[in-house]
Amino acid sequence: MAPKSKISRTRNIGIVAHIDAGKTTVSERILFYTGKSYKMGEVHDGEAVMDWMPQEQERGITITSAVTTCTWKNTEIHIIDTPGHVDFTIEVERSLRVLDGAVVVFCAVGGVEPQSETVWHQADKYEVPKVAFINKMDRIGADYFHVIHMMSERFRSTPVPIQIPVGSEDTFRGVIDLINRKLLIWDEGSQGAEYTTSEMPEEFADAAAHERGKMIETLADYDDDLAEQYLAGEELSAAQINSALRKATIALKIVPVLCGAALRNKGIQPVLDAVINYLPSPEDIPPVTGINPKTKQEEVRHSSDKEPLAALAFKIMLDEGRKLTYLRIYSGQISANDEVYNVVKKKKEKVARLLRMHANKRERIDKAVAGELVAVLGLKETTTGDTLCDEAHPIILEQIEFYEPVISQAIEAKTPADQEKLAQALIKLTDEDPTLRVKYEDETAQTVISGMGELHLEIIVDRLRREFNARVNVGRPRVVYRETIQKQIEIESVFEKELGEKKHFGQVRVELVPRKRGMGNEIVNQLSEEIIPVEYHEAIEEGLREAMMSGVLNSYPVIDVSVRLIGGAYRDGESSMQGYKIAAATAFRDGCLTADPVMLEPIMMVDIITPSEFMGDVIGDINARRGEIQAVNPKGPVSEIKAKVPLKAMFGYSTDLRSATQGRAVFTMIFEEYNKA
């Protein structure tokens, strides 16, 4: 057999899950067994390698996605450990955008939790093949088959167990490998680095034969050769089963399921084997497509170092004050000191250094090729979502979608000396985090930061104080409202003024039409060149776009309005860009005033999991907050409650929920829609 190419021996995977399912613990074990760490870090001791920010160590949660590289069985694995908390959804989104596969971790007790559904659907959106690992098999209430049943009910792909647990809760000692019909038991003494493989005990023969039969039947649906042999009653080899599993996993038809207890060091090595056996290398995934900015045609780049360069910047991070840009190289290669072209910003950039990252340690490398995830020092203009390519072969890869912030907070520097630090720090933080917005409000002379949730803003403020030594005072969190109109209207506006010796004229007629919630704004240009020459159209649209930024009721952005440009007038020698821009903005504002304007507030989808005995209290509290209960799902000792609640009523909810349920309920909330306030 010919030696395999380097690309085929590369895996880019993410570890994703609900908060607290044990992602970081799984990552730490992987680093230990692949020889990257000398001792195992524990999240609860604040010593995990991947959670290296002080804010992560104190709270025991992951905030930024750390990238690291390790080697297992001659395969190079690039791993991104992503956050599970809903406030940091963007970190998961942008990681999945550049990954080829994912390990989804579930808790054997909690099963499919709200946030694990969110990350699963995000992975589906980017068509990322998955392997599932059911963790915490040693915990009281662990139920492997119940979690698999929940997965098959909630997700489109079919979960296929390739292992069954031996024992459960405090008697959990290992797993049965259904493919090879072997028993795997981990050695307590070696911290799980050693495990023994032995013949399967007789008492498991029936259960294993039943599950193995089900596995092969499922695979037979997707693999004709395997189906023929199976129906003819022939014995299938492990290699044939693995090959069928790989094909069906990469085709997004099935998800292989494994189990273990990461904290007890059991079950991790088979997950690494599954990553190599079933998840795709950069060669196995469809080539990436993008748009050529010159021809506007779609072009394809194959995962090969022979093709022209195409790389996506998916994350910016500050490290000791220097800007690190994380890249996924889709095609071509990149070397230290190369010049690359940022096609989005239309600027050339110089690669000062190339680094292979190991969480927050690094190793300098001279070149990187298609299929790799690397970090680059020296890029000044590049931001998240930009494409870097070869200037002779430009291509723009699909950009990453960002979420709109729903909560804001005023901050101010304590002293003039802090003001300078604060301004610098906010520039750096917005570079790093595309869901953080910063706006200076002239009326109140305050700086307002907006983000995805209370925890998100709390961590930003914490970082301002710690990393940047900017002492700040913080206002109360405020809701980010929107405005819209409720009726259709036609209006004309004329602007005529002499400004410094020159006459400025503009006359614009528009029709404003309310749109359905969530459809966004649109500008429909129906002007003919005879009415207003084409060179002024851009100025008119710009005037409208600026006017949409602040509405007529309380200066909040206006959403869900269709503006049709239907008429106006032109005067030779007097018409000007400025004139049309002001006329358009005035027409929009006056139109909004007469079109029955209304305030909209953000409504959140809140998902609460509470012990059943507190269900009545929790529902009563949601009703008191103007919430609408959408569904109540009893799941034995716990119940799941889904409700739509105005964000304004959710401030401080975590404290209230804890005190109402003796600290035993958990909740997640995610933006759902804007509705009338």
Side-chain angles (χ1 to χ4, degrees), residues 367-436:
K367 79 165 201 184
V369 297
E372 293 196 87
L373 296 174
V374 290
V376 177
L377 278 170
L379 304 182
K380 295 190 173 56
E381 306 277 338
T382 302
T383 51
T384 302
D386 286 359
T387 304
L388 298 175
C389 60
D390 171 2
E391 197 173 1
H393 303 91
I395 186 168
I396 298 181
L397 301 174
E398 179 197 356
Q399 293 188 318
I400 299 170
E401 286 176 30
F402 296 133
Y403 295 85
E404 286 301 313
V406 292
I407 182 170
S408 65
Q409 199 166 29
I411 55 172
E412 59 185 20
K414 286 194 172 167
T415 65
D418 289 317
Q419 182 56 46
E420 180 58 26
K421 284 183 192 160
L422 178 65
Q424 289 295 314
L426 287 173
I427 290 171
K428 289 178 173 170
L429 287 172
T430 45
D431 261 0
E432 208 177 284
D433 181 351
T435 54
L436 172 69

Side-chain angles (χ1 to χ4, degrees), residues 118-279:
T118 310
V119 294
W120 190 281
H121 295 314
Q122 279 175 310
D124 278 348
K125 173 168 138 189
Y126 291 113
E127 300 192 335
V128 175
K130 299 170 270 304
V131 165
F133 177 64
I134 298 179
N135 190 21
K136 305 193 181 184
M137 285 301 302
D138 55 331
R139 293 269 295 275
I140 290 177
D143 187 339
Y144 180 63
F145 289 106
H146 177 63
V147 180
I148 291 172
H149 176 68
M150 282 175 86
M151 287 167 67
S152 55
E153 281 192 334
R154 306 259 179 114
F155 304 136
R156 285 204 303 270
S157 31
T158 309
V160 175
I162 60 171
Q163 293 178 341
I164 53 174
V166 174
S168 80
E169 301 183 353
D170 51 0
T171 63
F172 175 71
R173 26 184 248 280
V175 300
I176 295 222
D177 167 355
L178 295 173
I179 298 167
N180 300 300
R181 301 193 179 106
K182 295 280 191 236
L183 168 70
L184 310 182
I185 299 285
W186 275 264
D187 169 32
E188 299 283 337
S190 66
Q191 287 187 302
E194 307 288 324
Y195 61 99
T196 52
T197 305
S198 56
E199 288 308 315
M200 184 174 68
E202 202 43 53
E203 75 237 45
F204 291 104
D206 291 350
H210 174 69
E211 288 300 326
R212 191 173 194 263
K214 275 176 35 182
M215 168 178 79
I216 292 171
E217 272 174 32
T218 308
L219 289 174
D221 291 344
Y222 305 113
D223 189 314
D224 297 343
D225 300 344
L226 190 114
E228 272 180 39
Q229 269 184 279
Y230 175 61
L231 291 171
E234 289 173 36
E235 187 54 41
L236 295 164
S237 69
Q240 284 173 306
I241 295 175
N242 277 329
S243 152
L245 276 165
R246 181 178 181 82
K247 275 203 307 219
T249 304
I250 293 175
L252 304 174
K253 301 281 194 262
I254 66 156
V255 177
V257 184
L258 302 90
C259 64
L263 197 60
R264 298 274 168 276
N265 311 320
K266 292 182 175 137
I268 299 298
Q269 293 90 339
V271 175
L272 284 163
D273 292 340
V275 164
I276 295 174
N277 290 337
Y278 313 129
L279 292 180

Side-chain angles (χ1 to χ4, degrees), residues 600-612:
L600 299 172
E601 65 177 344
I603 307 292
M604 310 303 279
M605 178 58 83
V606 182
D607 209 313
I608 306 156
I609 292 188
T610 170
S612 299

Side-chain angles (χ1 to χ4, degrees), residues 499-510:
L499 299 171
E501 306 291 299
K502 184 178 179 329
K503 264 195 169 168
H504 286 270
F505 171 79
Q507 183 172 344
V508 179
R509 185 170 189 80
V510 298

